[in-house]
Amino acid sequence: MQYINSLEYAKEQDNLDKISYLRDHFHIPKDKNGKDWLYFTGNSLGLQPKSTQKYIQQELDDWANYGVEGHFEAKNPWLNYHEFLTENMAKIVGAKPTEVVVMNTLTTNLHLLMVSFYRPTKTKYKIVIESDAFPSDRYAVQSQLKFHGFSENDVIEWKPRKGEVLLKIEDLEKIVSEHGDEIALLLIGGVNYFTGQFLDLKRIAEIGHSKKCVVGIDLAHGAGNIEPNLHDSGIDFAAWCTYKYLNSGPGSLSGLFVHEKHAKNNDLPRFAGWWNHNKETRFNMRQPFDVMEGAEGWQLSNPPILSMAAIKASLDMFETVGMKALTRKSQKLTGYFEFLINQIDSEDIKIITPKNAKERGCQLSIQVKNTDKSLHKKLTENNIITDWREPNVIRCAPVPLYNSFEDVFQMVLILKKLL
Ligand SMILES: *Cc1c(COP(=O)(O)O)cnc(C)c1O
């Protein structure tokens, strides 16, 4: 790809971009003078689609007009509302609809999945995570170990090599070949939240399964960002949130994937509630528990419709564009961002995210030496919204749904001035 470092070029790319119209489908926060922020934190909280309000209003109206009858009478009947999300969500993560459900929040789902899939024995009980795992995942794993009577030190960390930041699959291979007999579970971030590294899920599944370890993936930074092909990867389970790249609002619900090979396994221990009971007889209220097949068999409660309405608004938009078109733009836009950063003539700035477009999504993590958080503050004062991580990394995500080539150009122009 031949890029050019000029505003004219950036504007021309926006003109050529077949999905640039989507930016108008979002609320872009603005400064006091009405100028759009340069928003690069869709990896933390995605922006609000303009359609979200209408979707939520629909449910508020139906609630006002029908009360409890809305479960059947609402335009989108609440009783099986979660089913409206399943097919589109499954496409986004490359799964079969029966393998996916939307419910609860992410960390809660990780725990529920570990109830079923972390089944330690006296000798095979350790859990592998990345050394730079997201804190919530680490806490979840440590508390599961303790819950089962082990020590929080029974975590094995998959670490980058000395002096490096990215993970090497051969190092995971080595951990599993040496310690696999003691390892019950690998729980790995499919796209690392810090470096933006997109790992080879199929390889991870093969490595784990070669020593009979269960393989789970946290896809918080992957869903809506990259194409993880969850079904074909062969991993056992996954979970992700919907407020990052899936633009469904602060604290919104989580997606959950259980591979179809476990769909009918009634022997898996699991927690139960009325919502994973067979839906044909659920309202008889008397039957002994009869678990549903597939991912729905992990639900507990009747779902929060208002939050799901926001997810539906977002997924309907993803469905009109498709992950293929988004990924195509994403690679180009991120490539342009990388090109511009690399044009900055300074020893102090370095991108730690993989260079290979197949090993990353849209996030670039930029390491800036000889600076401190004041740089992040100055960026913010210039209406550039990024994410700072101590001691010296700025995480930026140009999101193909709403960021433009011009956004990226302006961002790097200002960054260069501030350095
Ligand atoms: C964002 C994120 C979380 C947050 O979990 P919640 O339960 O939704 O608060 C957890 N893990 C990872 C890897 C994340 O990126």
Side-chain angles (χ1 to χ4, degrees):
M1 179 65 68
Q2 218 37 37
Y3 294 115
I4 301 172
N5 186 354
S6 79
L7 180 59
E8 290 66 41
Y9 175 83
K11 286 186 167 172
E12 191 186 313
Q13 293 312 304
D14 285 326
N15 283 332
L16 292 171
D17 172 14
K18 290 194 185 68
I19 58 172
S20 60
Y21 69 93
L22 287 166
R23 181 184 177 90
D24 279 342
H25 293 206
F26 285 87
H27 291 289
I28 314 278
K30 295 180 182 7
D31 70 8
K32 283 196 243 53
N33 304 316
K35 195 162 167 277
D36 286 354
W37 280 359
L38 298 173
Y39 193 83
F40 289 103
T41 41
N43 55 344
S44 179
L45 182 70
L47 291 179
Q48 184 189 142
K50 288 178 180 166
S51 59
T52 304
Q53 192 166 10
K54 197 179 78 200
Y55 278 71
I56 294 179
Q57 191 61 48
Q58 176 74 47
E59 303 317 323
L60 289 173
D61 290 346
D62 286 343
W63 179 20
N65 292 329
Y66 300 112
V68 72
E69 297 300 321
H71 285 98
F72 309 97
E73 300 298 329
K75 180 168 173 240
N76 308 305
W78 303 330
L79 188 61
N80 298 314
Y81 195 100
H82 71 274
E83 293 174 8
F84 299 132
L85 312 181
T86 304
E87 208 159 301
N88 289 347
M89 185 65 98
K91 275 192 211 167
I92 288 173
V93 295
K96 298 187 176 181
T98 50
E99 294 174 316
V100 167
V101 70
V102 176
M103 63 183 216
N104 308 318
T105 45
L106 172 53
T107 308
T108 308
N109 282 344
L110 290 176
H111 278 296
L112 290 176
L113 286 162
M114 282 191 275
V115 164
S116 300
F117 292 105
Y118 175 53
R119 305 182 60 193
T121 66
K122 269 208 179 76
T123 54
K124 194 170 169 69
Y125 56 91
K126 294 188 179 172
I127 304 179
V128 179
I129 60 173
E130 322 112 271
S131 57
D132 212 337
F134 193 87
S136 196
D137 301 37
R138 177 183 292 268
Y139 304 150
V141 157
Q142 287 173 334
S143 63
Q144 284 283 336
L145 279 162
K146 284 203 270 185
F147 178 73
H148 285 280
F150 303 102
S151 148
E152 59 181 41
N153 300 324
D154 292 322
V155 166
I156 298 182
E157 291 186 355
W158 176 16
K159 292 191 189 91
R161 294 182 188 173
K162 222 180 157 101
E164 300 183 7
V165 276
L166 299 176
L167 295 169
K168 289 210 157 67
I169 198 84
E170 304 81 53
D171 296 341
L172 180 67
E173 229 163 3
K174 187 155 178 277
I175 291 172
V176 173
S177 77
E178 284 173 10
H179 305 281
D181 295 339
E182 298 169 335
I183 297 169
L185 171 69
L186 318 184
L187 185 64
I188 308 289
V191 175
N192 182 272
Y193 83 101
F194 178 54
T195 62
Q197 180 177 18
F198 173 24
L199 296 162
D200 183 341
L201 305 188
K202 198 167 181 170
R203 277 300 291 137
I204 294 176
E206 285 164 3
I207 291 169
H209 293 158
S210 72
K211 288 279 194 162
K212 296 194 162 47
C213 314
V214 177
V215 177
I217 295 292
D218 185 322
L219 207 58
H221 282 264
N225 177 25
I226 44 87
E227 294 180 275
N229 297 320
L230 288 185
H231 176 82
D232 290 343
S233 75
I235 63 159
D236 297 287
F237 70 86
W240 56 94
C241 55
T242 55
Y243 46 82
K244 290 170 180 160
Y245 295 104
L246 293 175
N247 308 320
S248 301
S252 71
L253 303 174
S254 159
L256 170 142
F257 164 90
V258 175
H259 197 279
E260 107 183 309
K261 62 193 161 193
H262 303 296
K264 297 182 185 176
N265 185 353
N266 292 350
D267 296 334
L268 284 172
R270 70 178 96 196
F271 290 162
W274 67 332
W275 235 252
N276 53 352
H277 180 95
N278 178 353
K279 70 178 179 181
E280 310 305 331
T281 55
R282 182 181 292 152
F283 290 94
N284 297 350
M285 306 292 219
R286 298 256 183 274
Q287 260 76 11
F289 183 67
D290 174 15
V291 71
M292 292 177 86
E293 276 181 18
E296 290 187 321
W298 272 265
Q299 299 175 102
L300 299 178
S301 297
N302 84 102
I305 302 301
L306 298 182
S307 180
M308 286 200 165
I311 299 176
K312 187 169 190 307
S314 170
L315 295 184
D316 285 355
M317 188 188 299
F318 270 86
E319 176 61 14
T320 65
V321 205
M323 281 309 293
K324 286 269 173 298
L326 284 173
T327 309
R328 218 177 299 126
K329 174 172 174 187
S330 177
Q331 291 185 352
K332 210 169 160 195
L333 187 62
T334 308
Y336 189 49
F337 191 25
E338 177 182 46
F339 163 79
L340 294 174
I341 297 278
N342 287 338
Q343 292 245 309
I344 298 179
D345 188 21
S346 163
E347 299 276 292
D348 287 345
I349 190 160
K350 186 175 124 200
I351 297 168
I352 60 174
T353 306
K355 292 187 172 59
N356 181 353
K358 291 202 169 69
E359 292 173 40
R360 69 185 185 200
C362 67
Q363 172 181 318
L364 291 185
S365 301
I366 307 166
Q367 193 172 49
V368 193
K369 288 199 196 118
N370 301 317
T371 186
D372 55 26
K373 203 176 175 195
S374 65
L375 174 68
H376 176 255
K377 190 158 166 265
K378 280 188 220 145
L379 284 167
T380 309
E381 284 162 6
N382 281 277
N383 298 325
I384 300 176
I385 311 303
T386 59
D387 171 282
W388 176 262
R389 238 193 72 127
E390 294 296 344
N392 57 7
V393 169
I394 308 172
R395 298 186 307 157
C396 303
V399 172
L401 276 168
Y402 48 76
N403 282 119
S404 64
F405 288 83
E406 189 176 343
D407 279 353
V408 163
F409 180 83
Q410 301 289 5
M411 188 283 179
V412 179
L413 197 67
I414 297 169
L415 176 64
K416 201 168 138 188
K417 267 190 220 145
L418 292 177
L419 278 174

